């Protein structure tokens, strides 16, 4: 297997195909006049904005930039540059105040202080994988890294209850952003675009009721390398294409690899493609840069993440027939 086995798409044709689906979905199924999307300054939202603009025209695309106190100002600057280049209407909605009112920062910080009693509001933090995703452990463990204003970092393993509280509070960011997107979508009679690529969509790297919520997900079928191909074709600014993807969720920069995927995005892209196309672990390992044993474990991790993502994708359970009730009773 080589990287060329992830096919180089015909970017012009794929852009046209996505655009046709987008136009048809708005007119025939959703009955909406245009689209709203959050623009983060990253590659995925940039490609979605550019595809939508090409398909619908700039007058039918509305972009939201939604910074908060932990996010990077560079992200907002890149997002603004993109909107100006595309000529689309946009607004900046700073979500710090609603997050603070909901207790997102306070609840998170309360959990952190059970590990670092001297942690203060002006410190920085991030959450990272502590366990080797390709090791023997079947459970993932996470470390908390905090940094004081003088630049000194400290790191410790997160007990499950602390991890859950930090993540639950932090996930308010994605949920409040989605609330703002749907406010503007309803105001304008627009649909909401979701921006996950195939890796994020299939492996569950999104928040249920947050960035996982959308009316249309135009690039969820594309591998990350294919998203970059579309970005080049669509003229996405070089600063965005050159930027390593980050979560932009914590005040310390946190890559997607160190929080969720474990491997580099390039390796994860290849692993998912190889798994999708039933490439034997031994045949895929060398191209990915892993041993056959590590490749086998990578396939197991992909399968487990996909299984976990089923809950994230699932609709709410509705008891609508006697058969459903009987099936539920049999489970007990």
């Amino acid at each position: 297997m080589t990287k060329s086995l992830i096919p180089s798409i015909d970017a012009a044709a794929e852009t046209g195909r996505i655009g046709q689906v987008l136009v048809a979905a708005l007119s025939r199924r959703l009955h909406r006049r245009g689209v709203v999307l959050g623009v983060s300054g990253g590659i995925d939202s940039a490609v979605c904005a550019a595809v939508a603009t090409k398909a619908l025209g700039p007058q039918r695309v509305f972009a939201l930039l939604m910074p908060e106190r932990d996010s990077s100002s560079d992200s907002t600057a890149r997002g603004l540059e993109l909107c100006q280049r595309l000529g689309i209407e946009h607004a900046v909605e700073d979500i710090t105040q609603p997050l603070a009112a909901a207790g997102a920062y306070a609840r998170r910080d309360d959990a952190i202080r059970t590990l670092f009693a001297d942690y203060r509001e002006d410190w920085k933090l991030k959450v990272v994988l502590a366990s080797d995703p390709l090791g023997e452990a079947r459970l993932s463990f996470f470390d908390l890294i905090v940094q004081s204003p003088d630049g000194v970092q400290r790191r410790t393993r997160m007990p499950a209850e602390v991890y859950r509280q930090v993540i639950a509070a932090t996930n308010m960011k994605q949920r409040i952003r989605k609330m703002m997107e749907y406010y503007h979508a309803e105001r304008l009679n627009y649909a909401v675009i979701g921006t996950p690529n195939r890796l994020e969509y299939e492996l569950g790297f999104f928040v249920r009721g947050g960035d996982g919520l959308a009316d249309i997900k135009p690039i969820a079928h594309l591998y990350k390398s294919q998203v970059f191909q579309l970005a080049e074709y669509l003229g996405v600014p070089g600063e965005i294409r050159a930027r390593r993807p980050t979560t932009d969720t914590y005040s310390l920069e946190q890559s997607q690899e160190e929080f969720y995927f474990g491997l580099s995005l390039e390796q994860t892209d290849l692993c998912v493609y190889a798994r999708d196309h039933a490439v034997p672990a031994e045949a895929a390992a060398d191209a990915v840069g892993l041993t056959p044993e590590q490749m086998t474990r990578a396939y197991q991790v992909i399968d487990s993440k996909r299984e976990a993502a089923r809950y994230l994708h699932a609709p709410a359970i509705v008891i609508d027939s006697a058969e459903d009730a009987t099936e539920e009773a049999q489970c007990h």
Side-chain angles (χ1 to χ4, degrees):
M1 176 188 171
T2 64
K3 289 187 178 183
S4 63
L5 283 185
I6 299 182
S8 292
I9 56 176
D10 181 332
E14 186 61 23
T15 297
R17 186 171 79 92
I18 295 171
Q20 288 174 354
V21 172
L22 187 58
V23 169
L26 289 176
S27 62
R28 299 174 191 171
R29 295 178 59 184
L30 299 172
H31 307 293
R32 297 292 185 268
R33 298 188 304 113
V35 295
V36 168
L37 78 162
V39 171
S40 66
I43 189 79
D44 295 324
S45 62
V47 166
C48 287
V51 166
T53 300
K54 192 172 184 65
L56 304 172
Q59 71 282 358
R60 295 173 63 192
V61 179
F62 186 83
L64 282 171
L65 298 95
M66 294 171 282
E68 46 90 21
R69 77 181 196 194
D70 290 332
S71 58
S72 168
S73 59
D74 290 344
S75 298
T76 303
R78 281 189 293 267
L80 285 171
E81 180 190 353
L82 175 75
C83 293
Q84 290 161 0
R85 182 172 296 194
L86 294 175
I88 58 178
E89 188 179 358
H90 54 279
V92 178
E93 295 272 13
D94 191 310
I95 62 170
T96 300
Q97 186 174 345
L99 282 169
Y105 303 115
R107 296 170 201 265
R108 179 200 66 192
D109 293 352
D110 285 347
I112 292 172
R113 289 191 187 99
T114 65
L115 303 179
F116 298 105
D118 53 345
Y119 179 85
R120 300 195 312 268
E121 243 184 44
D122 57 347
W123 289 34
K124 295 184 177 183
L125 78 146
K126 66 178 175 179
V127 176
V128 299
L129 275 167
S131 52
D132 179 0
L134 303 185
E136 292 301 318
R138 290 297 184 263
L139 296 175
S140 294
F141 299 96
F142 293 86
D143 282 355
L144 174 67
I145 298 176
V146 298
Q147 179 177 298
S148 59
D150 58 5
V152 175
Q153 288 193 0
R154 293 149 69 186
R155 178 172 182 158
T156 191
R157 180 68 53 86
M158 302 178 76
E161 65 276 9
V162 174
Y163 170 78
R164 289 195 299 266
Q165 183 167 333
V166 169
I167 297 302
T170 303
N171 285 350
M172 291 184 186
K173 298 179 181 184
Q174 285 80 4
R175 292 185 173 115
I176 285 181
R177 286 188 175 111
K178 193 58 61 173
M179 178 185 72
M180 297 305 303
E181 290 174 28
Y182 271 98
Y183 161 73
H184 286 283
E186 292 176 0
R187 175 179 69 83
L188 296 166
N189 193 31
Y190 281 9
V192 170
I193 279 184
T195 64
N197 59 65
R198 187 171 188 147
L199 303 187
E200 295 168 340
Y201 181 77
E202 291 193 1
L203 303 186
F205 186 57
F206 57 87
V207 175
R208 184 173 169 93
D211 51 343
L213 181 62
D215 302 313
I216 310 170
K217 297 180 179 179
I219 62 170
H221 63 296
L222 295 176
Y223 295 97
K224 191 74 173 185
S225 58
Q226 295 172 335
V227 174
F228 275 99
Q229 292 172 47
L230 280 193
E232 183 175 2
Y233 166 74
L234 290 163
V236 169
E239 296 81 3
I240 293 177
R241 287 189 282 131
R243 180 197 184 203
R244 293 295 298 173
T246 67
T247 63
D248 204 24
T249 298
Y250 296 97
S251 48
L252 283 175
E253 184 171 302
Q254 176 204 53
S255 70
Q256 294 180 347
E257 294 98 319
E258 65 182 346
F259 176 66
Y260 193 77
F261 294 122
L263 298 171
S264 71
L265 285 178
E266 293 82 2
Q267 287 176 309
T268 305
D269 218 30
L270 287 166
C271 287
V272 172
Y273 182 87
R275 189 59 167 162
D276 286 345
H277 294 81
V279 179
E282 296 78 9
D286 186 58
V288 180
L290 301 175
T291 66
E293 294 75 19
Q294 288 174 321
M295 195 69 202
T296 298
R297 177 62 183 141
Y299 283 172
Q300 293 169 348
V301 170
I302 289 168
D303 291 345
S304 67
K305 286 187 182 297
R306 281 177 166 158
E307 179 63 26
R310 289 177 60 188
Y311 159 72
L312 298 174
H313 289 293
I317 297 170
V318 177
I319 310 302
D320 61 357
S321 71
E323 182 179 343
D324 291 336
T326 301
E327 182 179 343
E328 179 69 15
Q330 289 173 346
C331 291
H332 298 285

